[in-house]
Amino acid sequence: MDLRTRLEPGHPACAGCGAAIAMKIASAVVPSNTRVVIPASCWSIILGKYPFSSLKLPVIHTPFALASAFATGMRAAKSVPVMVWAGDGATYDIGFGLLSAAAERNEDIVYVCYDNEAYMNTGGQKSSATPKAAKTPTTPQGKETEKKDIIAIMKAHKIPYIATASIAFPEDLQRKIKKAFSIKGFSFILIHSPCPTGWKMEPSLTVKASRMAVESGIFKLVEIKHGQERETYKPTCYVNPREYYKLQGRMPRDE
Amino acid sequence: MRRIVTGTEATAIAAKLCKPKVISAYPITPQTYIIEKLAEYVSNGELNARYISTDSELSSIGIVAGAVAEGVRAFTATASHGLVFMHEALHWIAGGRLPVVMAVATRGLGAPWILMCDMQDALSQRDTGWMMLFASNAQEAHDFIPIAYKVAEEVHIPCMVCMDGFLISHTAEPVDLISQEAVDSFLPEFSPKLSLSDEPSTLWPIPEPDTYYLIKKDLFEDHKNALYIWKKAFREWQSVTKRKYDVCCGHMLEDAKTAFVSLGATVETALEAARRLRKKGEKVGVIGIKLFRPFPESDLKELSKGIEELLVIDKAVSMGKSGILFQEVKSTVDIPVRGFIGSMGGKDLTVERIERFFYEGKMWI
Ligand SMILES: Cc1ncc(C[n+]2csc(CCOP(=O)(O)OP(=O)(O)O)c2C)c(N)n1
Ligand code: SF4
Ligand SMILES: [Mg+2]
């Protein structure tokens, strides 16, 4: 695995932050002039305060909904690699229309969603990526609806490259990031990125949780190249989904 | 070359001459013809740009912001609901010191749906930090685009070039079209002081409150100082085209006791009203404000010297208070000011209604 890292120590993410781990793994393999486009999210904060930056890449902050549009304009202006780095709230919810539009136009950008399954920056409120039954500040009785299937939606856009990845499978994640940058047109990568703070989970369990999500078959590792879908890892299914959800204090306890 | 064109076509031609590299487009009446014309120029090879037909004004404004952040000139146009839909990004762009230039064909806002002209859309963006220029006719709509690029790119502040929807956007008038050579000699290549680069760096890192305060103070002061850059640009424009503009213009003021104050196409109607009132023996003049932000305070004070009362004609209102231009004028001068909501949603702003305002002084007529 490529161990060069562009994420500096001392950044202000919580201990065990999956979103920071995801960036650490992904940023190591992107071209050195990659523009990283960051909408409002925990990552707006993890980047650090002026005059510091935790990430050794060119970065631009954008309003919450507008990352796909900024990225489009940047790529239209210059022939440089552009990567959106957005949370699930920006992706599944507020920036969804603009994401869909950029995908439909097949813009030559890499769109990464680090999915921590809620609006963590504002305190863990539900997003449409939050799993059913999760208790969040805005779903105190537990979320009543299912998690949105963003991969199926992106697939319907017929873009050249779609992949899911997990911070517990770093080689697979890096290979997919590299692949996305090598492909012309719109790429979408969804990274399962547990958030110990929002999930009410021990910070030491982040990677374990992400591995259990994959091994239990809840989060599938796939790659869809020009419509051809392939599982890049076969889960062992030795893990019961309940065991995975049990790690999260926000999920209901078994009776 | 003189041709008969509408305000929208005059704007599109001027935008083309400024050679933006990225154009984003979303239709909304009464601006649509601008972006349709630009699509034509790009598709027939007259203009070498990436033309992006978007899903919404949010994408359109984000795309031009992204392009300008990469140091490339960009253009878009909008109106009405499209403009207010962009509101968050307008603040972001001004705060980020991106010299975006955007044309706005002003129109009323729903509910209820209304297609016709007022300035509620543009003037409710007053506090976004954009510079705002108002054309009074198609010639100005044409000329103001290159001038706006020149100033915006010099001071790193975005600029809206506004024209009254329909009254200017859809009215065909004779316009002296600028030549490409004239624009090339007037408008230098865009070379931003600040843009993204290949090196690690962050555009708009989160500052400490004290730093944020200084950033806002800088923008405030640069905005105010931009007034002189506008004056300089207007003078340069005059040397290239012989057409003379200023941030604020007085007409028939020499012996005037009263003066109408307005923006955009209304200035021309006010001029006609003033002429008629003069025939009745009233000593009336007109002050036309071209640049609304930065607001030409000292010019307005200077022009209103010797005048006893200003009569402001508005096409935008701050509910619960007064007309928006009225507030601006009232807070600038020391003489009595009366305000008239001349039109909302295209209600005909006739010379007769302006004369009634002169005699009755009521806000709603
Ligand atoms: C238009 C707008 N609405 C609300 C917010 C407040 N806000 C900032 S970040 C955020 C949640 C982000 O959630 P997500 O995209 O999942 O990223 P995460 O914080 O989980 O990393 C919200 C609601 C905002 N910045 N802009
Ligand atoms: S709240 Fe969650 S996603 Fe945000 S910094 Fe903390 S651990 Fe990371
Ligand atoms: Mg999230």
Side-chain angles (χ1 to χ4, degrees):
Chain A
M1 190 175 50
D2 196 336
L3 289 176
R4 272 178 313 135
T5 172
R6 293 200 168 98
L7 180 60
E8 299 276 6
H11 59 70
C14 314
C17 171
I21 298 172
M23 178 64 97
K24 184 166 183 137
I25 299 168
S27 63
V29 294
V30 305
S32 69
N33 61 341
T34 301
R35 274 61 168 160
V36 184
V37 184
I38 300 188
S41 58
C42 271
W43 250 100
S44 319
I45 307 298
I46 302 172
L47 205 64
K49 267 191 174 175
Y50 174 81
F52 301 104
S53 173
S54 60
L55 194 61
K56 278 192 277 182
L57 286 167
V59 180
I60 179 168
H61 288 278
T62 81
F64 200 8
L66 292 178
S68 304
F70 271 69
T72 298
M74 290 156 61
R75 185 63 190 78
K78 281 218 181 110
S79 183
V80 286
V82 178
M83 173 172 77
V84 173
W85 187 267
D88 49 290
T91 305
Y92 290 63
D93 292 341
I94 200 166
F96 181 65
L98 278 72
L99 161 63
S100 170
E104 185 272 336
R105 294 191 306 265
N106 198 25
E107 298 294 346
D108 188 21
I109 55 184
V110 176
Y111 189 110
V112 179
C113 170
Y114 65 93
D115 188 0
N116 54 21
E117 303 191 316
Y119 297 157
M120 294 314 177
N121 179 251
T122 44
Q125 303 82 359
K126 81 118 216 185
S127 76
S128 53
T130 304
K132 190 171 177 176
K135 285 190 179 162
T136 74
T138 50
T139 55
Q141 305 290 340
K143 184 175 179 254
E144 289 177 3
T145 54
E146 296 290 341
K147 180 181 172 90
K148 192 190 269 184
D149 186 353
I150 194 81
I151 294 298
I153 296 169
M154 293 318 293
K155 208 170 151 182
H157 286 76
K158 302 185 171 64
I159 50 177
Y161 189 72
I162 301 166
T164 60
S166 155
I167 56 158
F169 294 79
E171 292 88 353
D172 180 70
L173 194 164
Q174 288 195 332
R175 192 184 59 74
K176 287 167 173 169
I177 293 278
K178 283 191 209 160
K179 185 88 207 163
F181 275 94
S182 75
I183 282 175
K184 191 153 171 59
F186 199 87
S187 310
F188 180 84
I189 298 183
L190 183 69
I191 307 179
H192 188 259
S193 313
C195 161
T197 308
W199 291 14
K200 309 209 176 336
M201 182 177 81
E202 274 299 313
S204 60
L205 296 178
T206 306
V207 175
K208 184 177 179 189
S210 201
R211 180 174 301 281
M212 284 170 80
V214 173
E215 295 292 9
S216 63
I218 289 173
F219 191 88
K220 293 194 170 55
L221 295 181
V222 299
E223 181 171 69
I224 307 165
K225 264 190 272 177
H226 296 288
Q228 293 297 325
E229 184 159 349
R230 179 174 81 87
E231 222 173 356
T232 56
Y233 178 78
K234 289 250 177 290
T236 57
C237 290
Y238 296 151
V239 176
N240 186 325
R242 281 200 189 158
E243 296 301 312
Y244 161 62
Y245 284 127
K246 240 199 216 144
L247 296 178
Q248 300 184 32
R250 64 176 184 163
M251 296 305 277
R253 301 281 113 207
D254 286 343
E255 55 291 328
Chain B
M1 184 184 43
R2 176 168 286 204
R3 265 184 58 204
I4 296 186
V5 293
T6 59
T8 44
E9 184 169 1
T11 301
I13 294 169
K16 176 188 74 178
L17 296 172
C18 296
K19 299 180 186 162
K21 291 275 177 305
V22 177
I23 296 168
S24 56
Y26 196 76
I28 183 164
T29 304
Q31 157 285 128
T32 308
Y33 196 63
I34 300 175
I35 52 127
E36 288 182 349
K37 262 294 176 203
L38 287 166
E40 201 179 300
Y41 300 145
V42 173
S43 69
N44 68 19
E46 274 180 73
L47 174 60
N48 180 20
R50 166 104 199 271
Y51 183 91
I52 306 174
S53 177
T54 69
D55 58 303
S56 69
E57 290 85 359
L58 288 189
S59 281
S60 288
I61 193 69
I63 286 170
V64 290
V68 176
E70 281 289 356
V72 160
R73 191 173 288 156
F75 183 77
T76 193
T78 192
S80 185
H81 287 259
L83 180 64
V84 299
F85 200 44
M86 291 176 175
H87 185 75
E88 181 193 22
L90 299 182
H91 277 281
W92 193 270
I93 287 167
R97 303 300 294 262
L98 298 178
V100 173
V101 170
M102 174 163 70
V104 176
T106 69
R107 173 185 141 186
L109 294 170
W113 282 118
I114 190 78
L115 283 157
M116 305 305 282
C117 175
D118 63 42
M119 288 181 177
Q120 197 67 32
D121 52 355
L123 291 191
S124 60
Q125 309 313 309
R126 181 189 67 178
D127 300 338
T128 57
W130 282 54
M131 301 191 290
M132 300 175 76
L133 193 60
F134 285 81
S136 293
N137 51 47
Q139 182 72 61
E140 292 183 4
H142 182 65
D143 289 350
F144 285 179
I145 297 288
I147 304 174
Y149 273 115
K150 176 136 178 162
V151 177
E153 290 172 4
E154 186 167 340
V155 300
H156 272 261
I157 301 174
C159 183
M160 261 175 236
V161 181
C162 307
M163 68 177 119
D164 299 58
F166 296 100
L167 301 177
I168 300 177
S169 69
H170 284 57
T171 306
E173 312 173 42
V175 173
D176 283 319
L177 298 177
I178 331 152
S179 67
Q180 186 67 66
E181 299 73 61
V183 174
D184 290 347
S185 75
F186 172 78
L187 182 63
E189 292 265 317
F190 177 32
S191 62
K193 294 189 196 88
L194 177 86
S195 68
L196 283 159
S197 77
D198 288 349
E199 300 307 314
S201 59
T202 307
L203 264 193
W204 318 313
I206 298 183
E208 292 293 343
D210 285 352
T211 311
Y212 183 87
Y213 187 82
L214 284 179
I215 292 170
K216 294 298 151 184
K217 175 170 173 266
D218 270 354
L219 178 54
F220 183 84
E221 285 172 357
D222 291 351
H223 229 282
K224 288 235 161 193
N225 291 331
L227 202 89
Y228 305 100
I229 312 292
W230 280 102
K231 284 180 170 281
K232 190 176 76 168
F234 283 140
R235 282 197 301 273
E236 284 177 41
W237 187 253
Q238 191 184 354
S239 70
V240 176
T241 66
K242 308 276 178 287
R243 287 189 290 277
K244 186 171 185 240
Y245 299 117
D246 203 345
V247 294
C248 175
C249 308
H251 310 267
M252 300 182 272
L253 293 181
E254 300 72 37
D255 59 342
K257 284 215 167 73
T258 315
F260 294 119
V261 184
S262 204
L263 284 173
T266 307
V267 176
E268 305 213 336
T269 321
L271 274 170
E272 183 55 29
R275 278 186 216 109
R276 289 210 206 163
L277 286 163
R278 278 189 172 264
K279 283 197 189 128
K280 295 182 191 167
E282 309 290 356
K283 294 207 161 48
V284 189
V286 174
I287 297 173
I289 291 175
K290 301 272 176 240
L291 188 65
F292 180 76
R293 277 293 182 273
F295 195 75
E297 284 189 318
S298 54
D299 291 76
L300 178 60
K301 272 189 197 146
E302 190 60 36
L303 287 175
S304 50
K305 265 196 186 137
I307 292 174
E308 288 162 16
E309 186 177 38
L310 292 178
L311 302 178
V312 180
I313 309 172
D314 250 297
K315 284 186 179 177
V317 61
S318 179
M319 295 298 170
K321 179 68 176 160
S322 64
I324 294 177
L325 181 62
F326 169 83
Q327 293 173 27
E328 301 285 323
V329 173
K330 175 99 179 145
S331 67
T332 303
V333 299
D334 302 323
I335 52 177
V337 184
R338 280 184 290 156
F340 168 40
I341 306 302
S343 177
M344 294 300 288
K347 180 178 168 70
D348 208 1
L349 179 59
T350 57
V351 171
E352 291 70 31
R353 289 179 62 234
I354 295 180
E355 285 188 68
R356 273 186 62 196
F357 168 51
F358 177 81
Y359 289 115
E360 298 168 19
K362 283 197 298 204
M363 189 173 170
W364 298 89
I365 295 171

